Amino acid sequence: QIQLVESGGGLVPAGDSLTLSCAASGHTDNIYTMAWFRQAPGKDREFVASNMRSSSAIAYADSVKGRFSYSRVNTKNTWYLQMNSLKPEDTAVYYCAAKSPRAVSYEYWGQGTQVTVSS
């Protein structure tokens, strides 16, 4: 089993920055793809960024390209989401997620961390 714990959310004014962290524990060798999602009030959960352990390539949602940056530290089983130039529309609960090599959908989810951007 794998456990994911996010941290780093908060309330910031528009234009500010935040960095989210996701710490994985348990059978972390089974993690192949790591990702960030978010869910705004009244909306479906949406993809933000992802990365495969075997690759340096990172995928971003168009809405965050150029503002958000994904990174990871394998030795700490931790991945990050650096969020710059935050906008009120970035307000959401942010979730980290992971899946194993053969999984079609994300199997492991964190509890979520609230990010609120004031205008």
Side-chain angles (χ1 to χ4, degrees):
Q1 192 59 279
I2 295 170
Q3 295 79 41
L4 304 178
V5 178
E6 302 101 337
S7 60
L11 170 63
V12 296
D16 250 24
S17 299
L18 275 177
T19 300
L20 305 182
S21 302
C22 179
S25 60
H27 297 292
T28 56
D29 287 348
N30 203 35
I31 293 175
Y32 185 72
T33 305
M34 299 147 283
W36 289 97
F37 289 79
R38 67 185 182 185
Q39 187 167 21
K43 294 188 177 181
D44 292 334
R45 186 157 51 192
E46 64 174 1
F47 168 81
V48 176
S50 70
N51 168 242
M52 291 186 290
R53 185 185 290 273
S54 61
S55 171
S56 59
I58 301 167
Y60 293 101
D62 287 343
S63 58
V64 306
K65 279 181 183 176
R67 300 188 300 120
F68 289 12
S69 178
Y70 169 101
S71 62
R72 71 172 193 252
V73 178
N74 289 336
T75 54
K76 294 184 178 180
N77 289 312
T78 301
W79 55 101
Y80 304 90
L81 187 68
Q82 171 71 40
M83 305 183 294
N84 299 323
S85 302
L86 282 162
K87 305 175 181 179
E89 51 264 43
D90 294 318
T91 295
V93 177
Y94 283 72
Y95 298 90
C96 63
K99 60 181 177 176
S100 54
R102 296 182 179 82
V104 174
S105 58
Y106 286 88
E107 304 156 280
Y108 309 103
W109 293 86
Q111 81 286 356
T113 186
Q114 178 70 47
V115 172
T116 303
V117 184
S118 61
S119 56

